[in-house]
Structures are given as structure tokens and as C-alpha cells.
Amino acid sequence: MLRCDQRPDDLVGGNGIHRTTVTRWVREVVGLLAARASRLDRALKKIARSGGGVVLLDGTLIRTRRRTGTENRKNYSGKHRCHGLLVIALTDDKGRLIWVSAVRAGWTSEITSCRHDHLTAHLRPAGLGAIADLGFVGLDDSGPDVDPAVITGYQAARNRPLTRGQKLSNKALAAVRAPVEHGFAHLKNWRVLGKVRTDPRWATALVKGLLVLTNREVSR
């Protein structure tokens, strides 16, 4: 059902059970899987114990079915010009997913979502740094005498173009953080995330449950 996004009505027809029974079974299993997902502090400590020095940080939008009413307006993302839910994820340097955030409304910025989870406050005690794209510029507001917890590229201004060295630095960072896209690709292989039709409040458990299943498949 999660892999192929099969409708509950298609399952009940050949098995002689009620639609609500199938929905309840799926939600119970997803809830059990979500409970096995690693918390942020534990995921970072595991990377540090294995000798890792950095993690890769990025966000993605999971599209949702457009609903009527004012409650759905907050799910509209002006950046992507569609309705959806924002998810922040961390991967190791090889692109293996290690943690996903709670699902938040599409109008939430990536920096705001990271601050809700106190990401930088968890990175520093673990002795790790996060490499991210330009969408996370300004997330790490530490002083100049402190090593940054979030490393991003240089951003050009209208009257201040990038120097050659800054362009080379951005290119090197882009190559390092490229594997994070593979992590999202593995997660979105589950077609149920193609366009979420369920209650957005349940989407957090769904994404965390799929994280557990994705890591199990990748590690085979």
C-alpha cells in the first residue's frame, strides 16, 4: 500500500473486509514504524561515534491534495507554487538518511523549521557540522570566533558579484552535498508520498515510518 499508493477501497474488495479496518491496520503499523525512527540527538551521536565529521542538511516539499477552506492556505508554498508539507532531513556523507523532522505547513521556511527543532544546538554538542545549500544562509548565527555549525556557500548580491574563489568554493560544497539528493530520492520512491491525500497531521508518522523502511531497504 505504501510502495504503490494503493487505495484502501482496492484492498477491501478482494479481501471481504471494511475500508476503515484497512485504514486502521495501516495506521497502526505506520505508528509502530515511526516509533523506531531515531531522535535527532541519538542520530547525531551515532554519526560522531562512527567517526563522521559532517552531515548533509536539506529540505523537501511533499505535495498534498488541495483542500478548500482557510485551514489549507498555510500549506501553500510560494517557493514551489503548490500545496504541500515541508520536511527537513539529515543524511550522512554518503546520502543515507539518518533523521527527518516533523512535517510542517508548506509556507514554513526551511530555516524556521530547523529552529523549531533546535538543530544547531544539537550539532555543536555532537561535534558535527552540517553542509547545506543557500536556502539555509542565516541559520547559524554564531559569532565569528566560533566554528560554524552549518556551512553554506556564498550568496551573491545585486551590487556585489561573487569572486572566482567564492565560485570555486560554492562548486566544491555543491559536490560534497550532492549525495543528500539520493537520500530524498530513496524516500520518495514510496509512491504514497507522491501526493499525500491523508490528514496532514498524520503525515509526520508516515514520513518517519517510511524513513525506517527506506534505511532497511538500503542496508540490504
Side-chain angles (χ1 to χ4, degrees), residues 158-177:
R158 180 175 299 178
N159 56 352
R160 190 183 58 194
L162 296 180
T163 64
R164 183 174 180 274
Q166 290 172 336
K167 291 179 180 179
L168 291 175
S169 178
N170 284 355
K171 186 176 180 180
L173 282 175
V176 171
R177 61 171 300 276

PDB file of all heavy atoms in Angstrom, residues 158-177:
ATOM      1  N   ARG A 158      23.198  42.035  -5.420  1.00  0.00           N
ATOM      2  CA  ARG A 158      22.960  42.743  -6.676  1.00  0.00           C
ATOM      3  C   ARG A 158      24.174  43.579  -7.081  1.00  0.00           C
ATOM      4  O   ARG A 158      24.531  43.644  -8.255  1.00  0.00           O
ATOM      5  CB  ARG A 158      21.728  43.634  -6.540  1.00  0.00           C
ATOM      6  CG  ARG A 158      21.394  44.425  -7.795  1.00  0.00           C
ATOM      7  CD  ARG A 158      20.105  45.192  -7.623  1.00  0.00           C
ATOM      8  NE  ARG A 158      18.981  44.307  -7.380  1.00  0.00           N
ATOM      9  CZ  ARG A 158      17.730  44.727  -7.150  1.00  0.00           C
ATOM     10  NH1 ARG A 158      17.484  46.036  -7.108  1.00  0.00           N
ATOM     11  NH2 ARG A 158      16.751  43.870  -6.945  1.00  0.00           N
ATOM     12  N   ASN A 159      24.801  44.221  -6.119  1.00  0.00           N
ATOM     13  CA  ASN A 159      25.953  45.073  -6.419  1.00  0.00           C
ATOM     14  C   ASN A 159      27.274  44.458  -5.965  1.00  0.00           C
ATOM     15  O   ASN A 159      28.284  45.154  -5.859  1.00  0.00           O
ATOM     16  CB  ASN A 159      25.787  46.445  -5.758  1.00  0.00           C
ATOM     17  CG  ASN A 159      25.584  46.344  -4.251  1.00  0.00           C
ATOM     18  OD1 ASN A 159      25.418  45.236  -3.742  1.00  0.00           O
ATOM     19  ND2 ASN A 159      25.607  47.468  -3.563  1.00  0.00           N
ATOM     20  N   ARG A 160      27.241  43.163  -5.677  1.00  0.00           N
ATOM     21  CA  ARG A 160      28.462  42.503  -5.211  1.00  0.00           C
ATOM     22  C   ARG A 160      28.515  41.087  -5.778  1.00  0.00           C
ATOM     23  O   ARG A 160      28.095  40.133  -5.133  1.00  0.00           O
ATOM     24  CB  ARG A 160      28.501  42.477  -3.677  1.00  0.00           C
ATOM     25  CG  ARG A 160      29.845  42.019  -3.103  1.00  0.00           C
ATOM     26  CD  ARG A 160      29.768  41.959  -1.592  1.00  0.00           C
ATOM     27  NE  ARG A 160      28.716  41.059  -1.153  1.00  0.00           N
ATOM     28  CZ  ARG A 160      28.243  41.014   0.095  1.00  0.00           C
ATOM     29  NH1 ARG A 160      28.710  41.844   0.999  1.00  0.00           N
ATOM     30  NH2 ARG A 160      27.281  40.168   0.421  1.00  0.00           N
ATOM     31  N   PRO A 161      29.036  40.928  -6.978  1.00  0.00           N
ATOM     32  CA  PRO A 161      29.117  39.583  -7.568  1.00  0.00           C
ATOM     33  C   PRO A 161      30.152  38.724  -6.838  1.00  0.00           C
ATOM     34  O   PRO A 161      31.033  39.240  -6.134  1.00  0.00           O
ATOM     35  CB  PRO A 161      29.540  39.856  -9.012  1.00  0.00           C
ATOM     36  CG  PRO A 161      30.236  41.179  -8.963  1.00  0.00           C
ATOM     37  CD  PRO A 161      29.554  41.969  -7.878  1.00  0.00           C
ATOM     38  N   LEU A 162      30.032  37.440  -7.041  1.00  0.00           N
ATOM     39  CA  LEU A 162      30.955  36.514  -6.389  1.00  0.00           C
ATOM     40  C   LEU A 162      32.327  36.573  -7.051  1.00  0.00           C
ATOM     41  O   LEU A 162      32.451  36.744  -8.264  1.00  0.00           O
ATOM     42  CB  LEU A 162      30.417  35.087  -6.478  1.00  0.00           C
ATOM     43  CG  LEU A 162      29.102  34.791  -5.752  1.00  0.00           C
ATOM     44  CD1 LEU A 162      28.718  33.334  -5.946  1.00  0.00           C
ATOM     45  CD2 LEU A 162      29.208  35.106  -4.267  1.00  0.00           C
ATOM     46  N   THR A 163      33.346  36.409  -6.233  1.00  0.00           N
ATOM     47  CA  THR A 163      34.702  36.327  -6.760  1.00  0.00           C
ATOM     48  C   THR A 163      34.948  34.922  -7.298  1.00  0.00           C
ATOM     49  O   THR A 163      34.153  33.998  -7.077  1.00  0.00           O
ATOM     50  CB  THR A 163      35.718  36.649  -5.663  1.00  0.00           C
ATOM     51  OG1 THR A 163      35.630  35.645  -4.630  1.00  0.00           O
ATOM     52  CG2 THR A 163      35.442  38.020  -5.051  1.00  0.00           C
ATOM     53  N   ARG A 164      36.046  34.762  -7.979  1.00  0.00           N
ATOM     54  CA  ARG A 164      36.374  33.441  -8.534  1.00  0.00           C
ATOM     55  C   ARG A 164      36.575  32.414  -7.420  1.00  0.00           C
ATOM     56  O   ARG A 164      36.134  31.272  -7.530  1.00  0.00           O
ATOM     57  CB  ARG A 164      37.642  33.547  -9.394  1.00  0.00           C
ATOM     58  CG  ARG A 164      38.021  32.242 -10.087  1.00  0.00           C
ATOM     59  CD  ARG A 164      39.199  32.439 -11.030  1.00  0.00           C
ATOM     60  NE  ARG A 164      39.564  31.196 -11.688  1.00  0.00           N
ATOM     61  CZ  ARG A 164      40.386  30.279 -11.172  1.00  0.00           C
ATOM     62  NH1 ARG A 164      40.935  30.490  -9.976  1.00  0.00           N
ATOM     63  NH2 ARG A 164      40.669  29.175 -11.842  1.00  0.00           N
ATOM     64  N   GLY A 165      37.214  32.835  -6.334  1.00  0.00           N
ATOM     65  CA  GLY A 165      37.412  31.914  -5.216  1.00  0.00           C
ATOM     66  C   GLY A 165      36.101  31.487  -4.574  1.00  0.00           C
ATOM     67  O   GLY A 165      35.929  30.335  -4.184  1.00  0.00           O
ATOM     68  N   GLN A 166      35.165  32.435  -4.458  1.00  0.00           N
ATOM     69  CA  GLN A 166      33.866  32.100  -3.880  1.00  0.00           C
ATOM     70  C   GLN A 166      33.083  31.149  -4.785  1.00  0.00           C
ATOM     71  O   GLN A 166      32.399  30.236  -4.303  1.00  0.00           O
ATOM     72  CB  GLN A 166      33.072  33.378  -3.631  1.00  0.00           C
ATOM     73  CG  GLN A 166      33.622  34.238  -2.503  1.00  0.00           C
ATOM     74  CD  GLN A 166      32.938  35.579  -2.410  1.00  0.00           C
ATOM     75  OE1 GLN A 166      32.375  36.092  -3.389  1.00  0.00           O
ATOM     76  NE2 GLN A 166      32.974  36.188  -1.226  1.00  0.00           N
ATOM     77  N   LYS A 167      33.200  31.353  -6.100  1.00  0.00           N
ATOM     78  CA  LYS A 167      32.525  30.443  -7.027  1.00  0.00           C
ATOM     79  C   LYS A 167      33.094  29.037  -6.937  1.00  0.00           C
ATOM     80  O   LYS A 167      32.355  28.046  -6.962  1.00  0.00           O
ATOM     81  CB  LYS A 167      32.647  30.974  -8.455  1.00  0.00           C
ATOM     82  CG  LYS A 167      31.847  32.240  -8.727  1.00  0.00           C
ATOM     83  CD  LYS A 167      32.037  32.700 -10.156  1.00  0.00           C
ATOM     84  CE  LYS A 167      31.245  33.971 -10.427  1.00  0.00           C
ATOM     85  NZ  LYS A 167      31.444  34.453 -11.825  1.00  0.00           N
ATOM     86  N   LEU A 168      34.411  28.932  -6.800  1.00  0.00           N
ATOM     87  CA  LEU A 168      35.037  27.612  -6.653  1.00  0.00           C
ATOM     88  C   LEU A 168      34.625  26.955  -5.343  1.00  0.00           C
ATOM     89  O   LEU A 168      34.413  25.744  -5.293  1.00  0.00           O
ATOM     90  CB  LEU A 168      36.557  27.754  -6.733  1.00  0.00           C
ATOM     91  CG  LEU A 168      37.131  28.133  -8.103  1.00  0.00           C
ATOM     92  CD1 LEU A 168      38.640  28.353  -8.012  1.00  0.00           C
ATOM     93  CD2 LEU A 168      36.824  27.039  -9.126  1.00  0.00           C
ATOM     94  N   SER A 169      34.503  27.762  -4.287  1.00  0.00           N
ATOM     95  CA  SER A 169      34.066  27.233  -3.001  1.00  0.00           C
ATOM     96  C   SER A 169      32.628  26.708  -3.088  1.00  0.00           C
ATOM     97  O   SER A 169      32.320  25.627  -2.570  1.00  0.00           O
ATOM     98  CB  SER A 169      34.177  28.311  -1.930  1.00  0.00           C
ATOM     99  OG  SER A 169      33.707  27.842  -0.687  1.00  0.00           O
ATOM    100  N   ASN A 170      31.755  27.461  -3.749  1.00  0.00           N
ATOM    101  CA  ASN A 170      30.379  27.018  -3.919  1.00  0.00           C
ATOM    102  C   ASN A 170      30.307  25.724  -4.721  1.00  0.00           C
ATOM    103  O   ASN A 170      29.498  24.831  -4.424  1.00  0.00           O
ATOM    104  CB  ASN A 170      29.555  28.096  -4.616  1.00  0.00           C
ATOM    105  CG  ASN A 170      29.191  29.239  -3.690  1.00  0.00           C
ATOM    106  OD1 ASN A 170      29.471  29.200  -2.495  1.00  0.00           O
ATOM    107  ND2 ASN A 170      28.571  30.269  -4.242  1.00  0.00           N
ATOM    108  N   LYS A 171      31.141  25.624  -5.738  1.00  0.00           N
ATOM    109  CA  LYS A 171      31.154  24.411  -6.563  1.00  0.00           C
ATOM    110  C   LYS A 171      31.620  23.203  -5.760  1.00  0.00           C
ATOM    111  O   LYS A 171      31.063  22.102  -5.887  1.00  0.00           O
ATOM    112  CB  LYS A 171      32.071  24.634  -7.769  1.00  0.00           C
ATOM    113  CG  LYS A 171      32.058  23.497  -8.778  1.00  0.00           C
ATOM    114  CD  LYS A 171      32.910  23.829  -9.984  1.00  0.00           C
ATOM    115  CE  LYS A 171      32.888  22.687 -11.001  1.00  0.00           C
ATOM    116  NZ  LYS A 171      33.716  23.006 -12.201  1.00  0.00           N
ATOM    117  N   ALA A 172      32.624  23.401  -4.911  1.00  0.00           N
ATOM    118  CA  ALA A 172      33.113  22.296  -4.079  1.00  0.00           C
ATOM    119  C   ALA A 172      32.061  21.859  -3.063  1.00  0.00           C
ATOM    120  O   ALA A 172      31.855  20.656  -2.836  1.00  0.00           O
ATOM    121  CB  ALA A 172      34.399  22.720  -3.368  1.00  0.00           C
ATOM    122  N   LEU A 173      31.363  22.821  -2.447  1.00  0.00           N
ATOM    123  CA  LEU A 173      30.313  22.481  -1.492  1.00  0.00           C
ATOM    124  C   LEU A 173      29.157  21.761  -2.172  1.00  0.00           C
ATOM    125  O   LEU A 173      28.570  20.834  -1.600  1.00  0.00           O
ATOM    126  CB  LEU A 173      29.816  23.746  -0.794  1.00  0.00           C
ATOM    127  CG  LEU A 173      30.696  24.315   0.319  1.00  0.00           C
ATOM    128  CD1 LEU A 173      30.125  25.634   0.818  1.00  0.00           C
ATOM    129  CD2 LEU A 173      30.825  23.324   1.464  1.00  0.00           C
ATOM    130  N   ALA A 174      28.825  22.191  -3.392  1.00  0.00           N
ATOM    131  CA  ALA A 174      27.741  21.532  -4.120  1.00  0.00           C
ATOM    132  C   ALA A 174      28.072  20.069  -4.405  1.00  0.00           C
ATOM    133  O   ALA A 174      27.203  19.193  -4.343  1.00  0.00           O
ATOM    134  CB  ALA A 174      27.459  22.284  -5.420  1.00  0.00           C
ATOM    135  N   ALA A 175      29.336  19.792  -4.709  1.00  0.00           N
ATOM    136  CA  ALA A 175      29.745  18.411  -4.958  1.00  0.00           C
ATOM    137  C   ALA A 175      29.679  17.567  -3.694  1.00  0.00           C
ATOM    138  O   ALA A 175      29.295  16.395  -3.727  1.00  0.00           O
ATOM    139  CB  ALA A 175      31.158  18.391  -5.548  1.00  0.00           C
ATOM    140  N   VAL A 176      30.017  18.188  -2.555  1.00  0.00           N
ATOM    141  CA  VAL A 176      30.001  17.452  -1.294  1.00  0.00           C
ATOM    142  C   VAL A 176      28.579  17.129  -0.862  1.00  0.00           C
ATOM    143  O   VAL A 176      28.296  16.032  -0.357  1.00  0.00           O
ATOM    144  CB  VAL A 176      30.727  18.257  -0.201  1.00  0.00           C
ATOM    145  CG1 VAL A 176      30.541  17.609   1.166  1.00  0.00           C
ATOM    146  CG2 VAL A 176      32.206  18.370  -0.522  1.00  0.00           C
ATOM    147  N   ARG A 177      27.657  18.071  -1.063  1.00  0.00           N
ATOM    148  CA  ARG A 177      26.293  17.879  -0.582  1.00  0.00           C
ATOM    149  C   ARG A 177      25.388  17.192  -1.598  1.00  0.00           C
ATOM    150  O   ARG A 177      24.197  16.983  -1.330  1.00  0.00           O
ATOM    151  CB  ARG A 177      25.675  19.214  -0.182  1.00  0.00           C
ATOM    152  CG  ARG A 177      25.544  20.257  -1.267  1.00  0.00           C
ATOM    153  CD  ARG A 177      24.716  21.434  -0.791  1.00  0.00           C
ATOM    154  NE  ARG A 177      23.379  21.027  -0.417  1.00  0.00           N
ATOM    155  CZ  ARG A 177      22.379  20.878  -1.299  1.00  0.00           C
ATOM    156  NH1 ARG A 177      22.594  21.099  -2.597  1.00  0.00           N
ATOM    157  NH2 ARG A 177      21.205  20.520  -0.892  1.00  0.00           N
TER     158      ARG A 177
END
